[in-house]
Amino acid sequence: EFFGLNAFPMDDIITTAMAFRPDLCTMTEPLFVDVVLEGKLARGQTVAWQGHQILKGAGPKSTRICTDIDGRAFMDLFKGAIARFERAA
């Protein structure tokens, strides 16, 4: 309700689905990602360092971020998994 969504977030489920179908998402090139522990601007946030940033940070570029998803393919996979679970139960 706070974000004005008319659905529910499926971030964890999408992440799990990507273990089986990494082609579901369009990914960035590897980036340095860190959690900001100090300051006021972004404290507690996970920040991906891309180009010029307000905050300073550098490190290994080892994290890729999903920027788009094939929603239809994901929902087909998700509904298929639920159907298999229901049949097995």
Side-chain angles (χ1 to χ4, degrees), residues 19-67:
F20 301 97
R21 291 276 314 275
D23 62 310
L24 287 173
C25 288
T26 303
M27 306 294 285
T28 65
E29 292 299 317
L31 300 169
F32 171 62
V33 175
D34 199 6
V35 176
V36 178
L37 301 176
E38 298 176 359
K40 297 178 181 179
L41 184 61
R43 185 173 182 213
Q45 292 184 16
T46 303
V47 177
W49 304 94
Q50 305 179 68
H52 299 288
Q53 301 283 149
I54 294 172
L55 304 171
K56 295 181 181 178
K61 294 181 178 184
S62 58
T63 304
R64 296 176 71 199
I65 298 171
C66 175
T67 58

